[in-house]
Amino acid sequence: MAEPRVPASGRRTLLAYVGAACAAALAGCTTYNANNGGIAGSQPAQGSSTPAPAGRSSAAAGGSSAAAGGSTAAAASSGPVVLARTADIPVGGGKILTDKKIVITEPQSGTFKAFTAVCTHQGCIVDSVSGGTINCPCHGSKFSIVNGSVVNGPAPSPLAPVGIEVQGSSIVQA
């Protein structure tokens, strides 16, 4: 008995459909975008730096903030949530807020920048700010504290900016 013959064009068509289905399935799996660090509602902010008040000092950081350790209801009624105090961010360095996936830097005295703390290479959380760079522990990527650009790969793209504002001696998310 002879085997049924399937035309070559039929096999090609079948393979094309299977390839298209695989591509569609993979596209549906790519919902996470490392460029925004997984921060819900995070929008890149242009010019996110704000000068600090002239009287910036450690003494200025001694004030209290109801939002810093209060309940969610208290934070909502008292205004924006304080991310950090200006005195907590070293000039030429930064502070990583791991729980919020944000890194705040101060490239020059009184100029504050914020970026997602999620590396654009494989989604690791950056772990240090030193030597003018934000550093990822997973594969050695380094980002500029000035604009979040890639200084050393393998990260393919810069850290996304996060909007912040300086209010007195407090830094809040915009």
Side-chain angles (χ1 to χ4, degrees):
M1 215 179 215
E3 300 234 356
R5 207 146 214 272
V6 177
S9 64
R11 281 184 275 194
R12 288 184 191 130
T13 303
L14 176 65
L15 285 174
Y17 282 122
V18 169
C22 288
L26 287 174
C29 293
T30 59
T31 58
Y32 178 78
N33 179 358
N35 289 333
N36 76 357
I39 300 172
S42 164
Q43 295 296 320
Q46 300 301 321
S48 61
S49 65
T50 306
R56 177 182 172 208
S57 68
S58 295
S64 66
S65 169
S71 69
T72 305
S77 65
S78 65
V81 176
V82 175
L83 296 174
R85 305 303 235 168
T86 55
D88 295 340
I89 313 299
V91 176
K95 180 177 181 177
I96 299 166
L97 309 173
T98 307
D99 59 329
K100 300 208 182 285
K101 296 182 181 176
I102 295 173
V103 57
I104 301 173
T105 65
E106 188 176 7
Q108 298 173 347
S109 181
T111 302
F112 297 91
K113 302 281 188 167
F115 309 97
T116 176
V118 179
C119 180
T120 58
H121 176 230
Q122 288 189 343
C124 296
I125 302 296
V126 298
D127 74 340
S128 68
V129 181
S130 63
T133 60
I134 302 163
N135 309 305
C136 180
C138 294
H139 300 102
S141 291
K142 295 178 182 284
F143 304 89
S144 168
I145 65 170
V146 175
N147 57 17
S149 64
V150 178
V151 173
N152 185 53
S157 55
L159 296 176
V162 173
I164 57 171
E165 293 178 3
V166 176
Q167 296 179 351
S169 62
S170 299
I171 300 172
V172 299
Q173 192 164 358

